[in-house]
Amino acid sequence: MSATVNHVGLPRDAYKGAATTLCAGCGHNSITNHMIKALYELGVEPHLLAKMSGIGCSSKTPAYFVETAHGFNGVHGRMPALTTGAHLANRQLIMLGVSGDGDTASIGLGQFMHLIRRNVDCTYIIEDNGTYGLTKGQFSATADLGSMQKKGAVNTFQPIDPCAVALALGCSFVARSFSGDGKQVVPLIKAAIAHRGTAILDIVSPCVTFNDHDGSTKSYSWVKDHEESIADVSFIPFFEEVHVDYEPGTVRDVRLHDGSHIVLKKLGEDHDPTNRQAAIRVIEEARAEGHLVTGLLYVDTAMADFASTEEIPQRPLKDLGEAELRLSREQFAQFMSEFA
Amino acid sequence: MTEPIVNDLTIQAATVNGSGSQTANLVLTRAIFHMGVPVAPKNVFPSNIEGLPTWYQLRITPEGHMARSDKVDVLVAFNVATWRQDLTTVRAGGVVIHEEAFSTAEARTDVTYYAVPFSKLAKAKIQSDTLRKQLANMIYVGVVAGVLGIPWEALEHGVRRQFLAKPKAVPINLDAIKVGYDYWQDNFSKEDPYRLEAMTGRVEGKALVEGNQAAALGALMGGASVVAWYPITPSSSLCEYFIAYSDRFRVDPKTGEKLVSVVQAEDELAAVGMAIGAGWAGARAFTSTSGPGISLMAEFSGLAYYAEVPVVIFDIQRIGPSTGLPTRTSQADIGFVYTLSHGDTKHIVLLPGTVEECYEFARDAFDYADRFQTPIFVLSDLDLGMNLWMTPEFKYPEKPFDRGKVLSKDDLEKVAGEWARYRDVDKDGVTYRTLPGTDHPAAGYFTRGSGHDENARYTEGADAYANNMDRLVRKLETARHALPAPVIDEAGSSVGLIAFGSTHAAVVEARETLLSAGQAIDYLRVRALPLSDDVAAFVERHERVYVAEQNRDGQLFDIVRLALPPALVDRVRSIRHYNGQPIPAAAIIEPLMDREAVPA
Ligand SMILES: Cc1ncc(C[n+]2csc(CCOP(=O)(O)OP(=O)(O)O)c2C)c(N)n1
Ligand code: SF4
Ligand SMILES: [Mg+2]
């Protein structure tokens, strides 16, 4: 029996990882499955993938997909720095970062913002449960005002919305989704990977153990009742032809750097994902109405990514040897003579 | 007039920060160096951009002593705010060149005054309004040259050398120097004994280089290709020189692309994180900082230690917190850095003691990092890093890079994918790693801190953890024998001296002085941590051993005692200097004279 393989000749099983150690029913596990599907369907070559993470239940998940790829479970909130460094050492790698809401919006907020500011080419997934899962249920900075902890404590602070922050900073790709919505998450992961620049994908991901009760705004039932998708997202990779059978005027097609496409089918009012002000407005309106808006909020395919701005060669810096990195004997002698 | 004092004097220029005095000081330094006379400049500057007092000391000795001196022979007093205080630092019989407007009423009578109307001269003789303040400093260069007899040709050289990149500035600066030179000739006759005369045999083949320049060149020659940093004095210039050298030497001549990436990070947490990310991915990477930045790098240093990621971290030491004496020198980070971070961490620390070693250790640090897959700290300090030092020219490296135990795709094929990231195959504690991007299904693994087995799989198993910890000890033992060995200079004295880093200059001078007073002192200079076995053996061979260093608590003293068998511990004593000024030889001579009862 020959297994079905993707366009790089690998079966879906090649994208699996170690068995999860997270709680049964954790939203993060669903995201892991979406990740496996997306990476398999995209045909990412495992050896070119670098799975980066910080600390938290969410940051453990890179162990649970593509076991044969390299990964780095770093320190709390500092995945962006490790990602930036590894990317500079080897531009050929596909940098895929996984973080949590505590990891991103509390301890790591500075690095999150500076990664976006530099537009480092990477995918940054926030598995957002509004709580500190791994340290057992303390509030995180993305918890909504008035939302409740399991034991009844009420959050009295304004939330930090990672998407709103990313948009304010001019991030080149901003999307939000829900772990329970594979139909939307999978194409968004693919699009984020295909995008050249920092792609922020905030995925609301219920913590069944500490934050899935009434009073939480990151629970399965709350999100199911309040989710409002701005468009149906499909992703067409560069190796497939675009054929769209929707009514003209009801779709938007965004072409990404590698020739792939995101096709957005309008739902109700049309959102233009290339209009940053509109994206900010959509978020603000949904917030006022107590809704969670999901989908591709914003994309800018023209912005230069960090390594390009810095004029770093495509050839990995890690592969350069003495001949390229050292001064020649003549250069060295000349240089020394200038100190005399 | 008394006997002439030739080529043996200390000039101190007391000026105002931000007034352009540094350029004048450097011109003077280069002019004297050009005469073949050894110079040792020390810049003592405040944490300020403009307005606070600053001092520049130029030590001149026929022997080429490079430590700071406590005694000033020639004072150039340019700062009215510190004038009275500065006057007290001059030795009896010394020279005071001062702004005429400063009052000498009731001032000392045991020094020779040369009062010069610097402000008036600047107003009358310097045409450019915008440059007047800067060029006024050049006038004192001319006066000093007049007093000490520096030939005009040497001054011309000094100016040309200083303005290599701005040849247009040469004539106007020389004109300003001429104003002072002529004023001295026309108005004074020599009343003091100090003179400079051209000499040979001391500075030939030598260059004037700052430690941070040397380290930047070392990093370049060591193959650093990813650099991340956050500005902090006294470390900034290391990265700034690295950037300047990279702009010159690391641009692909064919494509114009940069063969290096330098990131000014958002803080030191990010800087070290980027360097570690790059080291993990296979590039030679470094960051450079000073004490406050090292504090922020503590957590990441622990991760890199446990996950075994190569990275080079420069610490150009200064006095502790940012509010305090951030622009003054110190050697007080050594204890902190050695065990920086959480848990059972212990790091390899390189301790350059000369500018040449700043170059060599910076270069070789990347080999050590790759060989031992761990952070390598290079500890310099403000004195070594930011002052100009006379140094022999640096040598071109004869060895290729040592990239350590890295398995390529072919290597993995040969072992049929049978390898384990943390298995001690060679029994030296150093295991094999693969880099991301290696096209082999067995190459990938998930890097994490301490919770892993030999295969890098997750475990919290007690044995797996303890075994790994023991292996890390073995690895450090292997490294210890490969690090730069102590430099020992001994002649059978019963008294020994141990020092590291920039304290070396003061030790060299102190030993000469003590020897001429009849007390030979043997010397061991530590160049790396963990300590070599040579240290205990040295203590064993001596009755009393003094550890001299620039911190309050005797941090190396403690490290040395911990490494000794109990019977030897009592032989070791401590000499400490910690006032923010580079240690003078006197700080070593005096306690030794006292305790070893040398007739002064
Ligand atoms: C420097 C540091 N401080 C605190 C911790 C403890 N800690 C571990 S995970 C975590 C919170 C994780 O929350 P989040 O990022 O939301 O991940 P989740 O577990 O919810 O997926 C904290 C505070 C740590 N590991 N490191
Ligand atoms: S504690 Fe919450 S976030 Fe962590 S694994 Fe369990 S359900 Fe998931
Ligand atoms: Mg969380």
Side-chain angles (χ1 to χ4, degrees), chain A residues 239-319:
Chain A
F239 49 85
E240 277 174 24
E241 260 179 56
V242 190
H243 60 89
V244 179
D245 51 6
Y246 302 119
E247 291 288 314
T250 63
V251 294
R252 253 176 206 288
D253 180 350
V254 181
R255 190 174 179 279
L256 297 174
H257 305 89
D258 62 354
S260 53
H261 294 255
I262 316 172
V263 179
L264 302 158
K265 187 185 166 207
K266 157 169 163 179
L267 296 174
E269 209 195 326
D270 193 13
H271 169 63
D272 175 2
T274 61
N275 181 335
R276 197 152 70 94
Q277 283 79 10
I280 293 171
R281 196 173 347 105
V282 162
I283 288 187
E284 283 302 327
E285 284 170 4
R287 191 170 136 159
E289 289 162 20
H291 285 170
L292 181 77
V293 59
T294 61
L296 179 67
L297 292 161
Y298 180 66
V299 62
D300 174 358
T301 56
M303 195 191 297
D305 75 298
F306 185 52
S308 305
T309 312
E310 295 290 297
E311 299 173 276
I312 294 161
Q314 287 297 337
R315 197 163 46 125
L317 289 176
K318 73 156 177 89
D319 290 340

Side-chain angles (χ1 to χ4, degrees), chain B residues 53-71:
Chain B
T54 175
W55 295 269
Y56 185 85
Q57 181 182 97
L58 189 57
R59 178 114 192 263
I60 296 156
T61 54
E63 303 87 353
H65 289 318
M66 293 199 277
R68 189 177 65 87
S69 165
D70 271 342
K71 303 277 185 312

Side-chain angles (χ1 to χ4, degrees), chain A residues 28 58 100-103 127-133 140:
Chain A
H28 300 353
S58 34
D101 43 305
D103 204 60
E127 303 191 345
D128 187 351
N129 52 18
T131 189
Y132 287 3
S140 97

Side-chain angles (χ1 to χ4, degrees), chain A residues 9-37:
Chain A
L10 291 173
R12 190 188 161 106
D13 277 2
Y15 293 84
K16 287 192 172 160
T20 176
T21 59
L22 303 187
C23 305
C26 173
H28 300 353
N29 282 332
S30 314
I31 299 173
T32 297
N33 289 330
H34 303 325
M35 206 85 89
I36 292 169
K37 187 168 195 298

